[in-house]
Amino acid sequence: MHRKSTMKMGSLKSTISAIVLFLSIFLTLSFAFAASGGRMGGDAFSDRSPSPPSREDDHYHDHYYHHHHHHRDNWRSSSSNRNENEQRSEGSKSNDLLGFIIPAGMVGAFSLVVFVGYMNNRASIMMIQVGLTGNARSLKKELNEIAKTADSSSAKGWQLILTETVTALLRHPQYYISGYSSVKQHWNVESVEKSFRELSNEERGKIDLESLVNVNNVKRRRTVIPEASKIGKDYIVVTILVAAKGSYKVPLVKSIDDLKDALRSLSISSSNLQAVEVLWTPQDEDDTLSADELVECYPLLRPI
């Protein structure tokens, strides 16, 4: 009996050991070969409510019509002493003139309203990418700290994330190896939101695992076990996406000085910010991108 009990206990221990080993292998495979990535920022798109239709054009038309209608009546009363033929001739000319002016005024007013609306809805989407050597571990530490502590629930918080990210990058020019910048103008909120989300999703798709997230005050952290052969080698990429009201210019990146100027151009007031997103990969302090991954995933980066 004692021998059977011992055999059963040994069998149970073996089964438990096998399960533990399986789970360890599974977890290792799940995380070890994933390129980690961080993401922080937020947007105001979900808070957008449709603006009521403008009545400015109708008001302009009514004011214009009544003004000229009154003017026409005064003209007719002041001409009562003219002879009948002159009155008919001048009245006909006046009607023809008003028939031209009123439609022209309506068209002009409508064009003005449309133009003002377009100008008020004008916005820019800016993107800056920075490629750095894998030795820039202190930069990753700074970005990780910003993501852990930032308030991403408001435009002021997004502005702080943007400012601190730019400042951190400007502190490490010795690690710059490549860069890219772009700016695109949009003329309505829907176009801005669609374009920004498409760009964000494209960049997020290059990361295997978002291991540190702080977006719109939603925070998440996940464990990463970097591949041993990649520790302390190769490259890091930081991507900054900004949507802001108004028209902005961002210098093309052809040199380190251009990259610095491009980063400084992202000094934008919180009242104009519509969205900010900072992505960096790898996020883990001991993980880096290989040269092949850099070329394949970030073909827009230009050596500087």
Side-chain angles (χ1 to χ4, degrees):
M1 289 291 293
H2 180 71
R3 184 179 298 177
K4 289 183 179 180
S5 176
T6 303
M7 291 176 62
K8 286 182 180 180
M9 287 295 294
S11 177
L12 180 61
K13 288 180 180 179
S14 299
T15 303
I16 293 174
S17 298
I19 293 173
V20 170
L21 178 62
F22 172 78
L23 290 175
S24 298
I25 294 173
F26 175 77
L27 290 173
T28 300
L29 290 175
S30 297
F31 295 107
F33 303 106
S36 61
R39 185 166 69 98
M40 57 183 167
D43 67 76
F45 298 133
S46 58
D47 297 331
R48 187 187 73 253
S49 58
S51 302
S54 172
R55 299 288 297 174
E56 185 178 352
D57 51 343
D58 292 337
H59 173 74
Y60 186 95
H61 170 259
D62 291 342
H63 175 76
Y64 195 98
Y65 174 77
H66 288 303
H67 172 75
H68 282 273
H69 185 70
H70 178 70
H71 177 73
R72 183 176 61 186
D73 290 344
N74 289 342
W75 180 86
R76 285 179 175 175
S77 65
S78 66
S79 303
S80 58
N81 294 329
R82 296 182 183 179
N83 62 54
E84 185 176 351
N85 289 335
E86 288 178 344
Q87 193 176 34
R88 288 177 181 174
S89 175
E90 293 298 327
S92 176
K93 290 180 180 179
S94 177
N95 287 335
D96 290 342
L97 183 61
L98 287 173
F100 170 78
I101 291 177
I102 291 177
M106 292 174 62
V107 171
F110 178 76
S111 300
L112 179 62
V113 170
V114 171
F115 176 75
V116 171
Y118 270 118
M119 293 300 290
N120 288 338
N121 287 327
R122 182 174 56 176
S124 305
I125 294 181
M126 292 151 277
M127 173 178 171
I128 295 180
Q129 265 184 350
V130 185
L132 308 103
T133 66
N135 295 324
R137 294 187 183 183
S138 57
L139 171 64
K140 284 198 290 185
K141 289 181 179 179
E142 290 182 56
L143 295 177
N144 291 343
E145 191 61 26
I146 296 170
K148 292 173 184 177
T149 59
D151 176 8
S152 61
S153 63
S154 67
K156 288 186 177 180
W158 313 333
Q159 184 194 41
L160 184 60
I161 288 173
L162 179 60
T163 301
E164 292 192 353
T165 298
V166 168
T167 301
L169 284 166
L170 289 173
R171 275 198 292 261
H172 300 283
Q174 69 273 25
Y175 298 121
Y176 298 169
I177 59 165
S178 57
Y180 170 77
S181 68
S182 69
V183 58
K184 186 176 181 181
Q185 304 294 326
H186 292 268
W187 298 97
N188 62 74
V189 177
E190 290 77 12
S191 175
V192 173
E193 179 176 1
K194 180 181 178 182
S195 182
F196 187 88
R197 295 204 186 284
E198 286 177 351
L199 194 56
S200 171
N201 289 335
E202 181 180 350
E203 294 305 315
R204 291 178 64 189
K206 299 173 183 179
I207 299 172
D208 294 329
L209 178 69
E210 290 184 348
S211 45
L212 178 59
V213 175
N214 182 358
V215 176
N216 285 327
N217 223 29
V218 175
K219 300 179 180 181
R220 183 176 68 247
R221 294 184 67 180
R222 300 175 69 178
T223 303
V224 176
I225 304 174
E227 187 178 352
S229 61
K230 293 174 63 177
I231 293 176
K233 300 178 182 178
D234 302 325
Y235 307 103
I236 300 167
V237 175
V238 180
T239 302
I240 302 175
L241 306 177
V242 178
K245 299 174 186 176
S247 179
Y248 296 87
K249 293 183 179 180
V250 179
L252 291 175
V253 177
K254 298 180 181 179
S255 66
I256 290 178
D257 287 337
D258 290 339
L259 181 53
K260 289 180 180 179
D261 289 340
L263 290 168
R264 293 189 184 104
S265 72
L266 298 181
S267 178
I268 302 169
S269 67
S270 60
S271 60
N272 286 335
L273 285 177
Q274 294 178 302
V276 171
E277 197 159 285
V278 177
L279 306 100
W280 67 104
T281 183
Q283 176 270 322
D284 185 87
E285 294 177 11
D286 293 322
D287 192 13
T288 58
L289 292 173
S290 69
D292 291 340
E293 289 170 326
L294 184 72
V295 173
E296 180 181 354
C297 296
Y298 300 96
L300 296 176
L301 284 173
R302 184 191 191 105
I304 54 177

